[in-house]
C-alpha cells in the first residue's frame, strides 16, 4: 500500500539516507529496525513530507505522492507519531487528541473517534482533562499514539515508542498496537530493540547507515544469519 | 480623595484599550514568532481611518468599527502574506528590521496623507460625563473600556474553547509538530495576524474620540504594548489584560499628579523595575508559563 523506493535525503550538505526501500502492506505490524543514527527517523520524516526526498519516489495506494505536503499526506491517511512524543504539553489530553483529528474535523465523528481511542487506552479516558505534560512517560506515549489515530490513519508510523518506558509498559503498548493494527490499518513500528520488535511484528525491514539491509517476514528475519549476527547479537 | 479615585478610573478605562493593543501583540508574537514593532502604527491606522470616515463621511466613530475591523483584518493578512511570510527563513534580526521599517513607512505615509497636525474626532456624546457613585467618567472612555474588555474576553474564549484557539495554542507551543499532525500552519499565521492587527485598529477607533491622531502617535502605543507584554509575561494573555489595566492607571496618575510630560517616563520606570525584579513578568509565574503561554 505504501511503497518507499530508493530514497535518499540530506540535512543541509550531510547525507542521512542513501538508498532506503520500504514496503508496507495494507494490514499488520511492520517493524522498521536498525541501530542509532541508522536513518529510521529521517525515513519517517521523508515519508510524512517534513523533509524532501533528494532522489527516489514514494507511492501510496498506487499514486506518486513524492511532492505532496505533510498536510495532504495526513489527510490521505499517512500519520507520523514522532520520536519523543512531541505532545502539546500545556494542553489537556483531550485537546491533544482533538488536534490530532484536525484534518477530519468536518466529518462530525470526532466524538466517536475519541470514544474509540478511549476504548484502546482507558488510562487516557481517566486523564482526559489533565495537562499532557504532567503525565507519566507511558501515558504520554499513549496520548501521542492516540493523537495519531485521531487522524483516521491507513498507515500509522510510530517512532521509538518504547524509548524510556518500563518493560511492563512496553509489553502493554506492543499489545495495544497489535490490537490497533488488527482493526485494519498498517502500523510501522520503529525500534532499536530488534529482538523485542520482531516478536510483535508480522514483517520487518532493517536499515543501517542510510541503506536498507534486509527485508522480509518477521519470522524470516529472526532466522536470518545476517540479522542474527549483526543485530540480534547471537 | 475623590479626585484620586476619579483619576484612577480614567486610567483604568484607558488601560482597557492598552490591554486590547497588547493582547494582539502577544498573540502575534506567540503564534507567528514575530515581534511587531509596527503594532502602534496599526493603532494609528485605525485612528486615522476612523477620523477620515468621520470627517469625510460624517460617520459615527463607533459605527465605523464595521469598516475598520475588516479593513485592518485584511491589512494584517496582507502584511503576513507579502512582507513577513517571504521573510520566514530570515534571521530574527532581519525580521525586527522589517517590522521597524514598516513602522517608519506607516509614519511617513500618515504624514504625507494627513499632514503633521493633530486630527481629532469631536464627537460631543463621547465627551459628556456619566456620574457613577460620585465618580465622573466620559462616555468615550467608558465605551472604549467596555468594548475593549469585551473583545479581550472574547479572545480568551476563542483561545480556550474553540478549535481555532486550540490550533493557535498548538502553534505557540510547537509549530513543527502542528504541521506534522496536518494543521495548515501558514493559514493560521494569517489568522493570527488578522486578529492581532484588527484588534490594534479597533483600539485606534475606540481611543480617537478622546485622543487625537498624529503621525508619531503609534510609537507611544508600541512602547505601551511592549511594557504591558513584559509586565504580564510574554505569551501570557491574562497577564496582558492585567498589565494593560495597571499601566493605564500608572500613566494617568503620573500625568495628573507629577507632570503630563512625565507620563511616558513613568511607563518606562515601571518597565525597568519589572525587568530587574521579575523578568518573567509579574503574572508570569514561572519561566515555563512565559515560554509557552497564551493560557
Ligand atoms: N535534524 C538533523 N540535522 C542534521 N542531521 C541529522 C538530523 N537528524 C538526524 N541527523 C543525522 O542523520 C542521520 C540519521 O539520523 P536518524 O534518522 O535520526 O537516525 P535514527 O532515527 O535511525 O536513530 C544521523 O547521522 C544523524 O546524525
Ligand atoms: Mg530516531
Amino acid at each position: 500500500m505504501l511503497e518507499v523506493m530508493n530514497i535518499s535525503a540530506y540535512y543541509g550538505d550531510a547525507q542521512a539516507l542513501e538508498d532506503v526501500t520500504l514496503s508496507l502492506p495494507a494490514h499488520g505490524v511492520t517493524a522498521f529496525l536498525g541501530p542509532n543514527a541508522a536513518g529510521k527517523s529521517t525515513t519517517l520524516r521523508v515519508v510524512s513530507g517534513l523533509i524532501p526526498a533528494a532522489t527516489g519516489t514514494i507511492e501510496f495506494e498506487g499514486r506518486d505522492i513524492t511532492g505532496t505536503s505533510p498536510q495532504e499526506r495526513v489527510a490521505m491517511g499517512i500519520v507520523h507519531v514522532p520520536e519523543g512524543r512531541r505532545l502539546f504539553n500545556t494542553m489537556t489530553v483531550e485537546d491533544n487528541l482533538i488536534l490530532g483529528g484536525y484534518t477530519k474535523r468536518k466529518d462530525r465523528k470526532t466524538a466517536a473517534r475519541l470514544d474509540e481511542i478511549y476504548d484502546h487506552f482507558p488510562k487516557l479516558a481517566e486523564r482526559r482533562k489533565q495537562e499532557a505534560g504532567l503525565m507519566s512517560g507511558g501515558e504520554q506515549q499513549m496520548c501521542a499514539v492516540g493523537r495519531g489515530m485521531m487522524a483516521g490513519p491507513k498507515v500509522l508510523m510510530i517512532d521509538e515508542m518504547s524509548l524510556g518506558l518500563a518493560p511492563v509498559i512496553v509489553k502493554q503498548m506492543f499489545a495495544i498496537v497489535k490490537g490497533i493494527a488488527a482493526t485494519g490499518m498498517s502500523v510501522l513500528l520503529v525500534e532499536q530493540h530488534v529482538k523485542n520488535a520482531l516478536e510483535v511484528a508480522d514483517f520487518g525491514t532493517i536499515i543501517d547507515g542510510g541503506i536498507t539491509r534486509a527485508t522480509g517476514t518477521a519470522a524470516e528475519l529472526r532466522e536470518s544469519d545476517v540479522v542474527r549476527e549483526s543485530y540480534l547479537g547471537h | 480623595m475623590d479626585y484620586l479615585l476619579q483619576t484612577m478610573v480614567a486610567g483604568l478605562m484607558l488601560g482597557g484599550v492598552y490591554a486590547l493593543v497588547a493582547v494582539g501583540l502577544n498573540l502575534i508574537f506567540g503564534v507567528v514568532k514575530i515581534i511587531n514593532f509596527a503594532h502602534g502604527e496599526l493603532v494609528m491606522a485605525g485612528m486615522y481611518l476612523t477620523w477620515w470616515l468621520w470627517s469625510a463621511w460624517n460617520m459615527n466613530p463607533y459605527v465605523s468599527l464595521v469598516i475598520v475591523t475588516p479593513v485592518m483584518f485584511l491589512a494584517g493578512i496582507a502584511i503576513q502574506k507579502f512582507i513577513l511570510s517571504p521573510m520566514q527563513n530570515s534571521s530574527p534580526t532581519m525580521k525586527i528590521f522589517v517590522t521597524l521599517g514598516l513602522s517608519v513607512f506607516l509614519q511617513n505615509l500618515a504624514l504625507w496623507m494627513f499632514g503633521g497636525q493633530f486630527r481629532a474626532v469631536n464627537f460631543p456624546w463621547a465627551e459628556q460625563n456619566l456620574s457613577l457613585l460620585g465618580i465622573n467618567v466620559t462616555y468615550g472612555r467608558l465605551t472604549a473600556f467596555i468594548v475593549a474588555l469585551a473583545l479581550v474576553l472574547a479572545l480568551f474564549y476563542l483561545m480556550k474553547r474553540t478549535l481555532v484557539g486550540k490550533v493557535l495554542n498548538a502553534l505557540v507551543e510547537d509549530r513543527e509538530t502542528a504541521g506534522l499532525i496536518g494543521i495548515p500552519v501558514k493559514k493560521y499565521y494569517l489568522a493570527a495576524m488578522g486578529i492581532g492587527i484588527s484588534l490594534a485598529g479597533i483600539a485606534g477607533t475606540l481611543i480617537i474620540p478622546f485622543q487625537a491622531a498624529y503621525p508619531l502617535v503609534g510609537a507611544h502605543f508600541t512602547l505601551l504594548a511592549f511594557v504591558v507584554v513584559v509586565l504580564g509575561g510574554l505569551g501570557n494573555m491574562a497577564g496582558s489584560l492585567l498589565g494593560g489595566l495597571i499601566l493605564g492607571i500608572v500613566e494617568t496618575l503620573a500625568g495628573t499628579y507629577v507632570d503630563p510630560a512625565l507620563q511616558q517616563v513613568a511607563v518606562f520606570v515601571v518597565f525597568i523595575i519589572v525587568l530587574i525584579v521579575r523578568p518573567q513578568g509579574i503574572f508570569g509565574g514561572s519561566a515555563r508559563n512565559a515560554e509557552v503561554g497564551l493560557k
Side-chain angles (χ1 to χ4, degrees), chain A residues 48 50 70-71 74 80 82 86-91 95 98-99 102-103 105 131 147, chain B residues 163 166-167 169-170 173-174 176-184 187-188 288 292 295:
Chain A
S48 58
L50 278 184
Q71 285 82 48
V74 174
H80 178 175
R86 303 287 288 264
L87 295 177
F88 302 111
N89 284 323
T90 63
M91 303 174 76
D95 282 351
I98 288 171
L99 284 167
Y102 181 86
T103 55
R105 68 197 176 285
E131 249 182 62
R147 185 178 68 183
Chain B
L163 183 62
K166 291 179 210 286
V167 169
N169 275 313
E173 224 181 302
D174 183 350
E176 195 192 340
T177 303
L180 180 69
I181 65 176
I183 289 164
K187 211 172 104 186
Y188 282 90
R288 183 174 144 266
V292 293
K295 298 196 68 181

Side-chain angles (χ1 to χ4, degrees), chain B residues 71 105 108 114 119 198 205 238 248 276 284 291 295:
Chain B
V71 166
F105 170 78
N108 284 286
F114 304 106
R119 299 293 192 184
S198 59
T205 301
I276 292 170
E291 219 168 77
K295 298 196 68 181

Side-chain angles (χ1 to χ4, degrees), chain A residues 32-130:
Chain A
F32 189 41
L33 309 164
N36 194 22
K40 304 181 295 295
S41 298
T42 306
T43 303
L44 261 52
R45 287 187 199 117
V46 173
V47 173
S48 58
L50 278 184
I51 57 176
T55 58
T57 54
I58 305 168
E59 276 180 16
F60 182 63
E61 296 181 318
R63 193 183 136 206
D64 187 342
I65 60 158
T66 317
T68 55
S69 72
Q71 285 82 48
E72 289 172 282
R73 293 187 203 188
V74 174
M76 282 177 222
I78 301 173
V79 175
H80 178 175
V81 179
E83 192 173 356
R85 309 188 268 267
R86 303 287 288 264
L87 295 177
F88 302 111
N89 284 323
T90 63
M91 303 174 76
T92 64
V93 168
E94 188 148 298
D95 282 351
N96 269 274
L97 296 176
I98 288 171
L99 284 167
Y102 181 86
T103 55
K104 294 270 192 303
R105 68 197 176 285
K106 287 184 181 140
D107 72 3
R108 300 182 170 279
K109 288 183 197 143
T110 303
R113 272 197 304 277
L114 277 174
D115 283 345
E116 192 190 327
I117 283 154
Y118 291 145
D119 277 347
H120 285 293
F121 300 106
K123 258 276 165 32
L124 291 184
E126 283 169 35
R127 300 256 188 259
R128 280 173 49 206
K129 296 287 170 204
Q130 177 149 4

Side-chain angles (χ1 to χ4, degrees), chain B residues 41 64 68 81 113 140 163 182 202 216 275 285 293:
Chain B
E41 275 67 33
S64 74
V68 172
K81 216 177 170 92
M113 287 175 72
L163 183 62
I202 291 169
L216 292 178
L275 279 181

